[in-house]
Amino acid sequence: MGLARGRRQEAGFNYWPGFVDALSTLILGIVFLLSVFLVVQFFLSQEVTGKDKALQELNARIAQLNDLLSLEKLGKLNLEEQLSQVRAGLTAAEGERDRVKSLYDGLAGAGNDAAGRAGELGKALDSEKQISARALAQVEVLNQQIAALRRQLAALEEALDASEKRDKESQGRIADLGQRLNVALAQRVQELSRYRSEFFGRLRAILGDRPDIRIVGDRFVFQSEVFFDTGQAVLLPEGRAELDKVAQALIEIGKKIPEEIPWVIRVDGHTDKRPIFGAFKSNWELSSARAIAVVQYLITLGVPAQRLLAAGFAEFQPLDTANTEDAFKRNRRIELKLTER
Protein backbone atom coordinates (compact mmCIF):
# COMPACT_ATOMS: atom_id res chain seq x y z
CA MET A 1 0.00 0.00 0.00
CA GLY A 2 2.90 2.38 0.75
CA LEU A 3 4.45 1.36 -2.57
CA ALA A 4 1.30 2.37 -4.46
CA ARG A 5 1.19 5.74 -2.67
CA GLY A 6 4.86 6.37 -3.68
CA ARG A 7 4.11 5.63 -7.33
CA ARG A 8 1.19 8.05 -7.36
CA GLN A 9 3.45 10.75 -5.96
CA GLU A 10 6.04 10.09 -8.67
CA ALA A 11 3.37 10.29 -11.38
CA GLY A 12 2.23 13.69 -10.03
CA PHE A 13 5.72 15.14 -10.33
CA ASN A 14 5.98 14.28 -14.10
CA TYR A 15 3.28 16.82 -15.22
CA TRP A 16 5.52 19.90 -14.82
CA PRO A 17 8.14 19.14 -17.59
CA GLY A 18 5.35 18.61 -20.13
CA PHE A 19 3.78 21.93 -19.22
CA VAL A 20 7.16 23.68 -19.63
CA ASP A 21 7.67 22.09 -23.06
CA ALA A 22 4.21 23.20 -24.22
CA LEU A 23 4.80 26.75 -23.00
CA SER A 24 8.22 26.89 -24.77
CA THR A 25 6.67 25.66 -28.00
CA LEU A 26 3.94 28.34 -27.80
CA ILE A 27 6.54 31.11 -27.23
CA LEU A 28 8.65 29.88 -30.18
CA GLY A 29 5.53 29.91 -32.38
CA ILE A 30 4.73 33.48 -31.40
CA VAL A 31 8.33 34.58 -32.11
CA PHE A 32 8.19 32.86 -35.52
CA LEU A 33 4.91 34.63 -36.45
CA LEU A 34 6.36 38.02 -35.43
CA SER A 35 9.44 37.37 -37.59
CA VAL A 36 7.27 36.49 -40.59
CA PHE A 37 5.21 39.68 -40.09
CA LEU A 38 8.37 41.85 -40.00
CA VAL A 39 9.75 40.22 -43.17
CA VAL A 40 6.44 40.73 -45.03
CA GLN A 41 6.29 44.38 -43.86
CA PHE A 42 9.86 44.95 -45.19
CA PHE A 43 9.09 43.49 -48.63
CA LEU A 44 5.85 45.51 -48.91
CA SER A 45 7.73 48.76 -48.18
CA GLN A 46 10.37 47.84 -50.79
CA GLU A 47 7.66 47.19 -53.40
CA VAL A 48 5.96 50.57 -52.75
CA THR A 49 9.35 52.36 -53.03
CA GLY A 50 10.02 50.59 -56.35
CA LYS A 51 6.64 51.68 -57.74
CA ASP A 52 7.35 55.32 -56.85
CA LYS A 53 10.76 55.20 -58.56
CA ALA A 54 9.20 53.67 -61.68
CA LEU A 55 6.55 56.40 -61.68
CA GLN A 56 9.22 59.11 -61.57
CA GLU A 57 11.11 57.48 -64.45
CA LEU A 58 7.91 57.30 -66.52
CA ASN A 59 7.23 61.01 -65.94
CA ALA A 60 10.80 61.91 -66.99
CA ARG A 61 10.50 59.75 -70.12
CA ILE A 62 7.20 61.41 -71.06
CA ALA A 63 8.81 64.85 -70.71
CA GLN A 64 11.69 63.78 -73.01
CA LEU A 65 9.30 62.40 -75.61
CA ASN A 66 7.26 65.61 -75.54
CA ASP A 67 10.44 67.60 -76.23
CA LEU A 68 11.37 65.28 -79.11
CA LEU A 69 7.86 65.56 -80.51
CA SER A 70 8.05 69.38 -80.44
CA LEU A 71 11.37 69.27 -82.32
CA GLU A 72 9.94 66.86 -84.89
CA LYS A 73 6.90 69.08 -85.47
CA LEU A 74 9.16 72.14 -85.94
CA GLY A 75 11.30 70.24 -88.44
CA LYS A 76 8.18 69.08 -90.24
CA LEU A 77 6.96 72.67 -90.62
CA ASN A 78 10.34 73.75 -92.00
CA LEU A 79 10.34 70.90 -94.51
CA GLU A 80 6.83 71.75 -95.64
CA GLU A 81 7.82 75.39 -96.12
CA GLN A 82 10.86 74.37 -98.20
CA LEU A 83 8.69 72.00 -100.19
CA SER A 84 6.26 74.83 -101.01
CA GLN A 85 9.13 77.05 -102.16
CA VAL A 86 10.58 74.31 -104.38
CA ARG A 87 7.19 73.63 -105.95
CA ALA A 88 6.74 77.34 -106.68
CA GLY A 89 10.19 77.45 -108.30
CA LEU A 90 9.40 74.36 -110.34
CA THR A 91 6.18 75.92 -111.64
CA ALA A 92 8.00 79.13 -112.63
CA ALA A 93 10.75 77.15 -114.39
CA GLU A 94 8.26 75.09 -116.37
CA GLY A 95 6.48 78.28 -117.47
CA GLU A 96 9.76 79.82 -118.62
CA ARG A 97 10.62 76.64 -120.54
CA ASP A 98 7.28 76.68 -122.34
CA ARG A 99 7.74 80.34 -123.23
CA VAL A 100 11.21 79.69 -124.66
CA LYS A 101 9.94 76.69 -126.65
CA SER A 102 7.14 78.73 -128.16
CA LEU A 103 9.65 81.42 -129.04
CA TYR A 104 11.87 78.81 -130.67
CA ASP A 105 8.97 77.39 -132.68
CA GLY A 106 8.06 80.88 -133.85
CA LEU A 107 11.64 81.55 -134.89
CA ALA A 108 11.83 78.25 -136.77
CA GLY A 109 8.64 79.11 -138.67
CA ALA A 110 10.05 82.52 -139.53
CA GLY A 111 13.22 80.85 -140.85
CA ASN A 112 11.22 78.57 -143.15
CA ASP A 113 9.28 81.51 -144.53
CA ALA A 114 12.51 83.34 -145.18
CA ALA A 115 14.01 80.44 -147.14
CA GLY A 116 12.38 81.73 -150.33
CA ARG A 117 13.86 85.11 -149.69
CA ALA A 118 17.38 83.91 -148.89
CA GLY A 119 19.08 86.71 -150.71
CA GLU A 120 17.24 89.48 -149.01
CA LEU A 121 17.00 87.92 -145.51
CA GLY A 122 20.36 86.11 -145.21
CA LYS A 123 21.69 88.33 -142.51
CA ALA A 124 18.40 88.22 -140.64
CA LEU A 125 18.40 84.42 -140.86
CA ASP A 126 21.91 84.17 -139.38
CA SER A 127 20.82 86.43 -136.56
CA GLU A 128 17.73 84.36 -135.94
CA LYS A 129 19.78 81.15 -135.90
CA GLN A 130 22.05 82.60 -133.26
CA ILE A 131 19.01 83.56 -131.23
CA SER A 132 17.59 80.04 -131.70
CA ALA A 133 20.87 78.47 -130.54
CA ARG A 134 20.87 80.63 -127.43
CA ALA A 135 17.21 79.73 -126.86
CA LEU A 136 18.00 76.01 -127.15
CA ALA A 137 20.86 76.43 -124.69
CA GLN A 138 18.52 78.22 -122.27
CA VAL A 139 15.97 75.42 -122.70
CA GLU A 140 18.63 72.83 -121.90
CA VAL A 141 19.71 74.76 -118.80
CA LEU A 142 16.09 75.08 -117.70
CA ASN A 143 15.56 71.34 -118.22
CA GLN A 144 18.57 70.61 -116.02
CA GLN A 145 17.28 73.00 -113.37
CA ILE A 146 13.85 71.37 -113.50
CA ALA A 147 15.43 67.92 -113.11
CA ALA A 148 17.47 69.14 -110.12
CA LEU A 149 14.37 70.70 -108.57
CA ARG A 150 12.44 67.45 -109.03
CA ARG A 151 15.23 65.50 -107.33
CA GLN A 152 15.23 68.00 -104.47
CA LEU A 153 11.44 67.76 -104.26
CA ALA A 154 11.61 63.96 -104.06
CA ALA A 155 14.22 64.20 -101.27
CA LEU A 156 12.06 66.65 -99.35
CA GLU A 157 8.99 64.45 -99.71
CA GLU A 158 11.00 61.46 -98.47
CA ALA A 159 12.23 63.47 -95.48
CA LEU A 160 8.66 64.61 -94.80
CA ASP A 161 7.40 61.01 -94.86
CA ALA A 162 10.16 59.97 -92.46
CA SER A 163 9.26 62.85 -90.15
CA GLU A 164 5.58 61.86 -90.18
CA LYS A 165 6.53 58.26 -89.44
CA ARG A 166 8.67 59.33 -86.46
CA ASP A 167 5.80 61.54 -85.32
CA LYS A 168 3.41 58.58 -85.33
CA GLU A 169 5.91 56.42 -83.45
CA SER A 170 6.39 59.16 -80.84
CA GLN A 171 2.62 59.50 -80.44
CA GLY A 172 2.38 55.74 -79.91
CA ARG A 173 5.11 55.76 -77.26
CA ILE A 174 3.48 58.71 -75.50
CA ALA A 175 0.11 56.92 -75.49
CA ASP A 176 1.75 53.79 -74.06
CA LEU A 177 3.55 55.75 -71.35
CA GLY A 178 0.35 57.63 -70.57
CA GLN A 179 -1.48 54.35 -70.13
CA ARG A 180 1.25 53.05 -67.83
CA LEU A 181 1.11 56.30 -65.86
CA ASN A 182 -2.67 55.92 -65.48
CA VAL A 183 -2.13 52.38 -64.18
CA ALA A 184 0.40 53.66 -61.65
CA LEU A 185 -1.99 56.42 -60.54
CA ALA A 186 -4.80 53.88 -60.22
CA GLN A 187 -2.56 51.75 -58.00
CA ARG A 188 -1.87 54.84 -55.88
CA VAL A 189 -5.62 55.45 -55.52
CA GLN A 190 -6.15 51.81 -54.55
CA GLU A 191 -3.47 52.14 -51.86
CA LEU A 192 -5.19 55.24 -50.44
CA SER A 193 -8.56 53.41 -50.54
CA ARG A 194 -7.03 50.55 -48.56
CA TYR A 195 -5.72 52.93 -45.90
CA ARG A 196 -9.12 54.71 -45.85
CA SER A 197 -10.88 51.40 -45.19
CA GLU A 198 -8.41 50.57 -42.44
CA PHE A 199 -8.89 54.04 -40.90
CA PHE A 200 -12.69 53.75 -40.96
CA GLY A 201 -12.53 50.24 -39.56
CA ARG A 202 -10.33 51.37 -36.69
CA LEU A 203 -12.58 54.35 -35.97
CA ARG A 204 -15.65 52.12 -35.98
CA ALA A 205 -13.96 49.79 -33.51
CA ILE A 206 -12.86 52.66 -31.24
CA LEU A 207 -16.07 54.72 -31.29
CA GLY A 208 -18.45 51.79 -31.14
CA ASP A 209 -21.97 51.47 -32.52
CA ARG A 210 -23.56 54.89 -31.86
CA PRO A 211 -26.60 56.30 -33.68
CA ASP A 212 -25.09 59.80 -33.80
CA ILE A 213 -21.87 58.58 -35.50
CA ARG A 214 -22.08 56.73 -38.82
CA ILE A 215 -20.34 56.11 -42.15
CA VAL A 216 -21.90 57.63 -45.29
CA GLY A 217 -20.04 56.66 -48.47
CA ASP A 218 -16.37 57.56 -48.03
CA ARG A 219 -17.00 59.88 -45.05
CA PHE A 220 -17.26 59.45 -41.27
CA VAL A 221 -20.27 61.53 -40.13
CA PHE A 222 -20.73 62.94 -36.59
CA GLN A 223 -23.86 64.77 -35.55
CA SER A 224 -23.02 68.34 -34.50
CA GLU A 225 -24.59 67.76 -31.08
CA VAL A 226 -21.70 65.39 -30.30
CA PHE A 227 -19.26 68.34 -30.40
CA PHE A 228 -21.17 71.64 -30.06
CA ASP A 229 -24.13 73.31 -28.42
CA THR A 230 -26.77 74.86 -30.69
CA GLY A 231 -25.42 77.86 -32.61
CA GLN A 232 -21.95 77.53 -30.99
CA ALA A 233 -18.48 76.56 -32.24
CA VAL A 234 -16.81 75.73 -28.90
CA LEU A 235 -16.03 72.03 -28.45
CA LEU A 236 -17.88 70.27 -25.63
CA PRO A 237 -15.94 67.98 -23.23
CA GLU A 238 -17.66 64.88 -24.61
CA GLY A 239 -16.78 66.06 -28.13
CA ARG A 240 -13.14 66.41 -27.15
CA ALA A 241 -13.21 62.87 -25.80
CA GLU A 242 -14.46 61.54 -29.15
CA LEU A 243 -11.83 63.55 -31.03
CA ASP A 244 -9.15 62.06 -28.77
CA LYS A 245 -10.09 58.64 -30.14
CA VAL A 246 -10.14 59.94 -33.71
CA ALA A 247 -6.69 61.51 -33.32
CA GLN A 248 -5.28 58.26 -31.90
CA ALA A 249 -6.52 56.26 -34.88
CA LEU A 250 -5.39 58.94 -37.33
CA ILE A 251 -1.84 59.11 -35.92
CA GLU A 252 -1.52 55.32 -36.04
CA ILE A 253 -2.74 54.98 -39.63
CA GLY A 254 -0.69 58.05 -40.70
CA LYS A 255 2.51 56.20 -39.77
CA LYS A 256 1.65 53.44 -42.25
CA ILE A 257 0.80 55.63 -45.25
CA PRO A 258 3.90 56.29 -47.44
CA GLU A 259 5.19 59.86 -47.47
CA GLU A 260 4.78 60.01 -51.26
CA ILE A 261 0.97 59.85 -50.99
CA PRO A 262 -0.36 63.44 -50.47
CA TRP A 263 -3.17 62.45 -48.11
CA VAL A 264 -5.21 64.82 -45.93
CA ILE A 265 -8.14 64.55 -43.53
CA ARG A 266 -10.83 66.98 -44.71
CA VAL A 267 -13.11 68.22 -41.92
CA ASP A 268 -16.42 69.48 -43.35
CA GLY A 269 -18.87 71.55 -41.33
CA HIS A 270 -22.60 71.46 -42.22
CA THR A 271 -25.69 73.17 -40.76
CA ASP A 272 -29.42 72.98 -41.36
CA LYS A 273 -31.18 75.62 -43.46
CA ARG A 274 -32.77 77.59 -40.65
CA PRO A 275 -31.31 81.08 -39.98
CA ILE A 276 -29.21 81.54 -36.84
CA PHE A 277 -28.97 84.31 -34.26
CA GLY A 278 -26.06 85.19 -32.01
CA ALA A 279 -22.30 85.39 -32.51
CA PHE A 280 -22.36 84.21 -36.13
CA LYS A 281 -23.94 86.20 -38.96
CA SER A 282 -24.67 83.23 -41.23
CA ASN A 283 -24.57 79.46 -41.46
CA TRP A 284 -21.44 79.84 -43.60
CA GLU A 285 -19.55 81.32 -40.68
CA LEU A 286 -20.92 78.78 -38.20
CA SER A 287 -20.07 75.72 -40.34
CA SER A 288 -16.57 77.06 -41.10
CA ALA A 289 -15.88 77.93 -37.45
CA ARG A 290 -16.92 74.44 -36.32
CA ALA A 291 -14.67 72.76 -38.91
CA ILE A 292 -11.75 74.99 -37.88
CA ALA A 293 -12.35 74.22 -34.18
CA VAL A 294 -12.14 70.46 -34.87
CA VAL A 295 -8.95 70.91 -36.94
CA GLN A 296 -7.28 73.06 -34.29
CA TYR A 297 -8.05 70.52 -31.57
CA LEU A 298 -6.69 67.63 -33.66
CA ILE A 299 -3.47 69.62 -34.15
CA THR A 300 -3.10 69.97 -30.36
CA LEU A 301 -3.36 66.16 -30.13
CA GLY A 302 -0.37 65.67 -32.45
CA VAL A 303 -1.99 65.35 -35.89
CA PRO A 304 0.28 67.18 -38.42
CA ALA A 305 -1.29 70.47 -39.55
CA GLN A 306 -0.32 69.84 -43.20
CA ARG A 307 -2.50 66.71 -43.13
CA LEU A 308 -5.69 68.59 -42.14
CA LEU A 309 -8.15 70.67 -44.15
CA ALA A 310 -11.18 72.61 -42.86
CA ALA A 311 -14.20 73.44 -45.05
CA GLY A 312 -17.60 74.99 -44.34
CA PHE A 313 -20.65 74.12 -46.48
CA ALA A 314 -23.42 75.84 -44.48
CA GLU A 315 -26.85 74.37 -45.37
CA PHE A 316 -26.11 73.74 -49.05
CA GLN A 317 -25.14 70.03 -48.86
CA PRO A 318 -28.12 68.49 -47.00
CA LEU A 319 -28.52 64.77 -46.41
CA ASP A 320 -32.29 65.15 -45.97
CA THR A 321 -34.35 67.86 -47.73
CA ALA A 322 -37.45 67.45 -45.57
CA ASN A 323 -38.64 70.25 -43.27
CA THR A 324 -38.73 68.17 -40.10
CA GLU A 325 -36.73 68.20 -36.87
CA ASP A 326 -35.22 64.80 -37.72
CA ALA A 327 -34.07 66.12 -41.13
CA PHE A 328 -32.61 69.26 -39.56
CA LYS A 329 -30.76 67.13 -37.00
CA ARG A 330 -29.30 64.86 -39.72
CA ASN A 331 -28.09 67.87 -41.71
CA ARG A 332 -26.28 69.41 -38.71
CA ARG A 333 -23.10 67.37 -38.86
CA ILE A 334 -19.28 67.21 -38.97
CA GLU A 335 -17.78 64.93 -41.65
CA LEU A 336 -14.26 63.44 -41.79
CA LYS A 337 -12.92 62.29 -45.16
CA LEU A 338 -9.52 60.73 -45.91
CA THR A 339 -8.61 62.04 -49.37
CA GLU A 340 -5.76 63.50 -51.47
CA ARG A 341 -4.69 67.15 -51.76
Side-chain angles (χ1 to χ4, degrees):
M1 192 173 195
L3 180 61
R5 185 181 300 110
R7 289 179 179 177
R8 284 194 301 271
Q9 292 175 354
E10 291 178 358
F13 288 138
N14 288 333
Y15 286 116
W16 177 250
F19 175 76
V20 172
D21 291 341
L23 182 60
S24 300
T25 303
L26 178 60
I27 293 173
L28 289 174
I30 293 172
V31 171
F32 175 74
L33 290 176
L34 290 174
S35 301
V36 170
F37 176 77
L38 291 175
V39 169
V40 171
Q41 188 73 14
F42 172 77
F43 281 108
L44 285 175
S45 64
Q46 291 292 323
E47 182 178 357
V48 171
T49 303
K51 288 181 180 179
D52 291 334
K53 290 181 178 179
L55 183 60
Q56 293 175 357
E57 293 175 357
L58 287 175
N59 285 329
R61 183 61 179 166
I62 287 175
Q64 293 176 358
L65 288 176
N66 282 329
D67 293 338
L68 291 175
L69 180 59
S70 298
L71 292 176
E72 289 293 339
K73 288 182 176 180
L74 181 60
K76 178 180 176 181
L77 292 175
N78 292 333
L79 288 175
E80 289 177 349
E81 183 177 356
Q82 293 179 8
L83 181 61
S84 299
Q85 293 176 356
V86 169
R87 285 176 176 171
L90 178 60
T91 303
E94 289 177 346
E96 183 65 19
R97 183 192 62 182
D98 294 338
R99 188 185 66 81
V100 172
K101 280 187 176 181
S102 63
L103 179 60
Y104 174 75
D105 292 338
L107 292 174
N112 291 330
D113 293 339
R117 302 162 57 192
E120 297 177 0
L121 301 176
K123 294 181 179 181
L125 182 58
D126 291 337
S127 178
E128 292 294 339
K129 286 181 178 180
Q130 292 177 1
I131 294 174
S132 298
R134 287 195 300 269
L136 289 174
Q138 290 178 0
V139 170
E140 183 63 25
V141 171
L142 289 174
N143 285 331
Q144 292 177 1
Q145 291 178 352
I146 289 172
L149 289 173
R150 285 178 175 172
R151 289 193 297 270
Q152 186 177 1
L153 179 61
L156 289 174
E157 289 178 346
E158 184 178 354
L160 183 59
D161 292 339
S163 176
E164 290 178 350
K165 182 178 180 181
R166 288 194 299 269
D167 188 13
K168 291 181 181 178
E169 291 176 353
S170 298
Q171 291 287 356
R173 288 196 295 268
I174 290 175
D176 180 61
L177 290 176
Q179 184 177 5
R180 293 167 63 184
L181 179 61
N182 289 334
V183 171
L185 292 176
Q187 292 176 350
R188 182 70 63 85
V189 172
Q190 290 178 356
E191 289 181 7
L192 186 60
S193 299
R194 177 168 59 86
Y195 291 120
R196 183 188 295 117
S197 299
E198 184 176 350
F199 174 60
F200 281 178
R202 187 161 300 180
L203 276 184
R204 189 185 297 108
I206 292 175
L207 299 176
D209 188 12
R210 295 180 51 175
D212 53 359
I213 302 175
R214 63 191 187 279
I215 294 178
V216 178
D218 59 350
R219 296 158 294 159
F220 220 90
V221 180
F222 297 80
Q223 294 305 133
S224 294
E225 287 76 12
V226 176
F227 299 125
F228 307 102
D229 285 330
T230 302
Q232 301 296 320
V234 178
L235 284 169
L236 297 172
E238 54 269 28
R240 292 175 181 268
E242 298 300 331
L243 286 178
D244 291 342
K245 302 174 185 178
V246 173
Q248 177 186 355
L250 184 57
I251 293 173
E252 291 178 0
I253 199 67
K255 295 177 181 179
K256 297 182 180 180
I257 302 177
E259 291 293 332
E260 295 79 9
I261 298 179
W263 65 274
V264 292
I265 288 292
R266 199 181 78 186
V267 181
D268 297 338
H270 298 267
T271 66
D272 59 37
K273 64 181 180 180
R274 293 178 296 183
I276 63 172
F277 303 95
F280 299 99
K281 297 180 180 180
S282 67
N283 285 323
W284 282 113
E285 294 183 8
L286 177 60
S287 61
S288 300
R290 287 179 170 179
I292 293 172
V294 172
V295 166
Q296 290 176 338
Y297 185 68
L298 290 176
I299 292 174
T300 63
L301 297 177
V303 180
Q306 67 271 19
R307 299 298 185 185
L308 294 169
L309 176 65
F313 291 89
E315 71 269 22
F316 299 105
Q317 300 291 332
L319 295 178
D320 193 337
T321 58
N323 293 320
T324 63
E325 286 297 329
D326 290 338
F328 294 152
K329 183 178 180 180
R330 289 189 63 200
N331 292 333
R332 295 191 301 270
R333 65 196 188 278
I334 295 292
E335 296 182 351
L336 301 182
K337 181 178 180 181
L338 179 60
T339 183
E340 288 188 275
R341 285 197 297 268

